[in-house]
Amino acid sequence: MSHTHHKIAMLTAGGLAPCLSSAVGGLIERYSEIAPEAQMIGYLSGYKGLLLGKSIPVTPEVRRRAHVLHGHGGSPLGNSRVKLTNVADCVKRGLVKEGEDPLKVAANQLVKDGVTILHTIGGDDTNTTAADLAAYLHANGYELTVVGLPKTIDNDVVPIRQTLGAWTAAEHGALFFENVVNEQSTSSRQLVIHEVMGRHCGWLTAATARAWRDRLDHLEFLPEFNLDRKHKDIDAVYIPETHIDMEKEATRLKKVMDQFDSVSIFVSEGACVPEIVAELEAKGEHVERDAFGHVRLDSVKVGDWFGKQFAKKIGADKTLVQKSGYFGRSAAANPSDLELIRAMVHVAVDSALEGVSGVIGHDEERDDELRAIEFPRIKGGKHFDVHTPWFVEMLKDIGQTA
């Protein structure tokens, strides 16, 4: 069957993840294999580019060399955080005029460009916004197939087993800490805090901690000369899904500090955020939020808060807080993610050409089948299961009570 009547558009949106460039490359490669006659474009800067009508074509040269994109982090198309249903924000940013409906502006642009298939590569906000677009167009007599690819290093999209880029982000977070941990040798009684991305979900923090301990397994040590594995191991992992008894933990960590002269903590950027926000607002301080209503975590400074909570109680001489988020999320996809991207892209293209909209993923509510999951079932904020055997075992190994 000919696919000449199709025009395919792609956009990447939200924060970065180590899959965006590769997913775009994978889509171009797959369509070039099975629908080489179909036109393709990429909207620049996510929904911002769609609203402003800014796109670039997929030329024959781009098709021929799309494999290059697999070796890069970031996105060749650029990203932005735009919520089409937040009219006031879109007007304020100059993306639409006063009185215009962003959904209508975006829909009209898709119609003007003749787009029949839209691929959105992003998190739950990106993909549910795409669903709103498709519904709007359908109600107005224009059929658009929207197929999303799930990008988030938090791995927190319901009901998707594994989101694109999360494995790579965990691996690079561990690589980042391999250098940071050596800072514990710059002073006596050093408290090192590694803040990892993850607003509601502790998966990335837990997986990064696990990846770091795996790296330790491949390092040689010289305990006879004060180079013991324990100096570089983790002493605590704090995530949003677990209750943290700060006094009990301070008592435990002080013993570690007394014995080994340093303490290393991995903490999710979303751990204890409700408590921290309540503290700040009780003091009359303004807490910034984004267009989606999410607290801007950079302004909350979770790692610093944990440092202040523990430093005095455990007798730290120096506290160092380091964030691996931007380092990890900007990486090129690792082999595990490349394989996942390849599998998802194949299903995404097949679904799109069959006219089936949805977000591609292994559906945890359908025996992990890789399929186009219906948009109404896609939600963010999936929690990490703290009873996961490897996580329970890790906490036991480091002496932390779950």
CSV table of all heavy atoms in Angstrom, one decimal, residues 203-224:
chain,number,residue,atom,x,y,z
A,203,TRP,N,12.9,6.0,41.3
A,203,TRP,CA,13.5,4.9,40.5
A,203,TRP,C,15.0,5.3,40.1
A,203,TRP,O,15.9,4.6,40.3
A,203,TRP,CB,12.7,4.6,39.3
A,203,TRP,CG,13.3,3.5,38.5
A,203,TRP,CD1,13.1,2.2,38.6
A,203,TRP,CD2,14.4,3.7,37.4
A,203,TRP,NE1,13.9,1.5,37.7
A,203,TRP,CE2,14.7,2.4,37.0
A,203,TRP,CE3,15.0,4.7,36.9
A,203,TRP,CZ2,15.6,2.1,36.0
A,203,TRP,CZ3,16.0,4.5,35.9
A,203,TRP,CH2,16.3,3.2,35.4
A,204,LEU,N,15.1,6.5,39.6
A,204,LEU,CA,16.4,6.9,39.1
A,204,LEU,C,17.5,7.0,40.2
A,204,LEU,O,18.6,6.6,40.0
A,204,LEU,CB,16.3,8.3,38.3
A,204,LEU,CG,17.6,8.8,37.7
A,204,LEU,CD1,18.2,7.8,36.7
A,204,LEU,CD2,17.5,10.1,37.1
A,205,THR,N,17.1,7.5,41.3
A,205,THR,CA,18.1,7.6,42.4
A,205,THR,C,18.5,6.2,42.8
A,205,THR,O,19.7,5.9,43.0
A,205,THR,CB,17.4,8.3,43.6
A,205,THR,OG1,17.1,9.6,43.2
A,205,THR,CG2,18.4,8.4,44.8
A,206,ALA,N,17.5,5.3,43.0
A,206,ALA,CA,17.8,3.9,43.4
A,206,ALA,C,18.6,3.2,42.3
A,206,ALA,O,19.6,2.5,42.6
A,206,ALA,CB,16.5,3.1,43.6
A,207,ALA,N,18.3,3.4,41.0
A,207,ALA,CA,19.0,2.7,39.9
A,207,ALA,C,20.4,3.3,39.8
A,207,ALA,O,21.3,2.6,39.4
A,207,ALA,CB,18.2,2.9,38.6
A,208,THR,N,20.6,4.6,40.1
A,208,THR,CA,21.9,5.2,40.0
A,208,THR,C,22.8,4.7,41.1
A,208,THR,O,24.0,4.4,40.9
A,208,THR,CB,21.8,6.8,40.1
A,208,THR,OG1,20.9,7.2,39.0
A,208,THR,CG2,23.2,7.4,39.9
A,209,ALA,N,22.2,4.5,42.3
A,209,ALA,CA,22.9,4.0,43.4
A,209,ALA,C,23.3,2.5,43.1
A,209,ALA,O,24.5,2.1,43.4
A,209,ALA,CB,22.0,4.0,44.7
A,210,ARG,N,22.4,1.8,42.5
A,210,ARG,CA,22.7,0.4,42.2
A,210,ARG,C,23.9,0.4,41.1
A,210,ARG,O,24.8,-0.4,41.2
A,210,ARG,CB,21.5,-0.3,41.6
A,210,ARG,CG,21.6,-1.7,41.2
A,210,ARG,CD,20.4,-2.2,40.4
A,210,ARG,NE,20.3,-3.6,40.3
A,210,ARG,CZ,19.4,-4.2,39.6
A,210,ARG,NH1,18.6,-3.5,38.8
A,210,ARG,NH2,19.4,-5.5,39.5
A,211,ALA,N,23.8,1.3,40.1
A,211,ALA,CA,24.8,1.3,39.1
A,211,ALA,C,26.2,1.7,39.6
A,211,ALA,O,27.2,1.2,39.2
A,211,ALA,CB,24.4,2.3,38.0
A,212,TRP,N,26.2,2.6,40.6
A,212,TRP,CA,27.4,3.0,41.3
A,212,TRP,C,28.0,1.8,42.0
A,212,TRP,O,29.2,1.5,41.9
A,212,TRP,CB,27.2,4.2,42.2
A,212,TRP,CG,28.4,4.4,43.1
A,212,TRP,CD1,28.4,4.5,44.5
A,212,TRP,CD2,29.7,4.7,42.7
A,212,TRP,NE1,29.7,4.7,44.9
A,212,TRP,CE2,30.5,4.8,43.8
A,212,TRP,CE3,30.4,4.7,41.4
A,212,TRP,CZ2,31.9,5.1,43.8
A,212,TRP,CZ3,31.7,5.0,41.4
A,212,TRP,CH2,32.5,5.2,42.6
A,213,ARG,N,27.2,1.1,42.7
A,213,ARG,CA,27.7,-0.1,43.5
A,213,ARG,C,28.2,-1.2,42.6
A,213,ARG,O,29.2,-1.9,42.9
A,213,ARG,CB,26.7,-0.6,44.5
A,213,ARG,CG,26.3,0.5,45.5
A,213,ARG,CD,25.4,0.0,46.6
A,213,ARG,NE,26.3,-0.6,47.7
A,213,ARG,CZ,26.1,-1.8,48.1
A,213,ARG,NH1,25.2,-2.6,47.7
A,213,ARG,NH2,26.9,-2.2,49.1
A,214,ASP,N,27.6,-1.3,41.4
A,214,ASP,CA,28.1,-2.2,40.4
A,214,ASP,C,29.5,-1.8,39.9
A,214,ASP,O,30.3,-2.6,39.6
A,214,ASP,CB,27.1,-2.3,39.2
A,214,ASP,CG,25.8,-3.1,39.5
A,214,ASP,OD1,25.8,-3.8,40.5
A,214,ASP,OD2,24.9,-2.9,38.7
A,215,ARG,N,29.7,-0.5,39.7
A,215,ARG,CA,31.0,0.0,39.3
A,215,ARG,C,32.0,-0.3,40.3
A,215,ARG,O,33.2,-0.6,40.0
A,215,ARG,CB,30.9,1.5,39.0
A,215,ARG,CG,30.1,1.9,37.8
A,215,ARG,CD,30.2,3.4,37.5
A,215,ARG,NE,31.4,3.8,36.9
A,215,ARG,CZ,31.6,3.8,35.5
A,215,ARG,NH1,30.6,3.4,34.7
A,215,ARG,NH2,32.7,4.2,35.0
A,216,LEU,N,31.6,-0.2,41.6
A,216,LEU,CA,32.6,-0.5,42.7
A,216,LEU,C,33.0,-1.9,42.6
A,216,LEU,O,34.2,-2.2,43.0
A,216,LEU,CB,31.9,-0.2,44.1
A,216,LEU,CG,31.8,1.3,44.5
A,216,LEU,CD1,31.1,1.3,45.9
A,216,LEU,CD2,33.1,2.0,44.6
A,217,ASP,N,32.1,-2.8,42.2
A,217,ASP,CA,32.5,-4.2,42.1
A,217,ASP,C,33.7,-4.4,41.1
A,217,ASP,O,34.3,-5.5,41.2
A,217,ASP,CB,31.3,-5.0,41.6
A,217,ASP,CG,30.2,-5.2,42.7
A,217,ASP,OD1,30.6,-4.9,43.9
A,217,ASP,OD2,29.1,-5.5,42.4
A,218,HIS,N,33.9,-3.5,40.2
A,218,HIS,CA,34.9,-3.6,39.2
A,218,HIS,C,36.1,-2.8,39.5
A,218,HIS,O,37.0,-2.7,38.6
A,218,HIS,CB,34.3,-3.3,37.8
A,218,HIS,CG,33.2,-4.2,37.4
A,218,HIS,ND1,31.9,-4.0,37.6
A,218,HIS,CD2,33.3,-5.4,36.7
A,218,HIS,CE1,31.2,-5.0,37.1
A,218,HIS,NE2,32.0,-5.8,36.6
A,219,LEU,N,36.2,-2.2,40.7
A,219,LEU,CA,37.4,-1.4,41.1
A,219,LEU,C,38.2,-2.3,42.1
A,219,LEU,O,37.7,-3.0,42.9
A,219,LEU,CB,37.0,-0.1,41.7
A,219,LEU,CG,36.6,1.0,40.8
A,219,LEU,CD1,36.1,2.2,41.7
A,219,LEU,CD2,37.7,1.5,39.9
A,220,GLU,N,39.5,-2.1,41.9
A,220,GLU,CA,40.4,-2.8,42.9
A,220,GLU,C,40.6,-1.8,44.1
A,220,GLU,O,40.7,-0.6,43.9
A,220,GLU,CB,41.7,-3.1,42.3
A,220,GLU,CG,41.7,-4.4,41.5
A,220,GLU,CD,43.2,-4.9,41.2
A,220,GLU,OE1,43.8,-5.5,42.1
A,220,GLU,OE2,43.6,-4.6,40.1
A,221,PHE,N,40.8,-2.3,45.3
A,221,PHE,CA,41.0,-1.5,46.5
A,221,PHE,C,42.3,-1.9,47.2
A,221,PHE,O,42.8,-3.0,47.0
A,221,PHE,CB,39.8,-1.5,47.4
A,221,PHE,CG,38.6,-0.9,46.8
A,221,PHE,CD1,37.7,-1.6,46.1
A,221,PHE,CD2,38.4,0.5,46.9
A,221,PHE,CE1,36.6,-1.0,45.5
A,221,PHE,CE2,37.3,1.1,46.3
A,221,PHE,CZ,36.4,0.3,45.6
A,222,LEU,N,42.8,-1.0,48.0
A,222,LEU,CA,44.0,-1.3,48.8
A,222,LEU,C,43.8,-0.9,50.3
A,222,LEU,O,44.2,0.1,50.8
A,222,LEU,CB,45.2,-0.5,48.3
A,222,LEU,CG,46.6,-0.9,48.7
A,222,LEU,CD1,46.9,-2.3,48.4
A,222,LEU,CD2,47.6,0.1,48.1
A,223,PRO,N,42.9,-1.8,51.0
A,223,PRO,CA,42.6,-1.5,52.3
A,223,PRO,C,43.8,-1.3,53.3
A,223,PRO,O,43.7,-0.6,54.3
A,223,PRO,CB,41.7,-2.6,52.7
A,223,PRO,CG,41.9,-3.7,51.7
A,223,PRO,CD,42.3,-3.0,50.5
A,224,GLU,N,44.9,-2.0,52.9
A,224,GLU,CA,46.1,-2.0,53.7
A,224,GLU,C,46.7,-0.6,53.8
A,224,GLU,O,47.5,-0.3,54.6
A,224,GLU,CB,47.1,-3.0,53.2
A,224,GLU,CG,46.7,-4.4,53.2
A,224,GLU,CD,45.8,-4.8,52.0
A,224,GLU,OE1,45.6,-3.9,51.1
A,224,GLU,OE2,45.4,-6.0,51.9
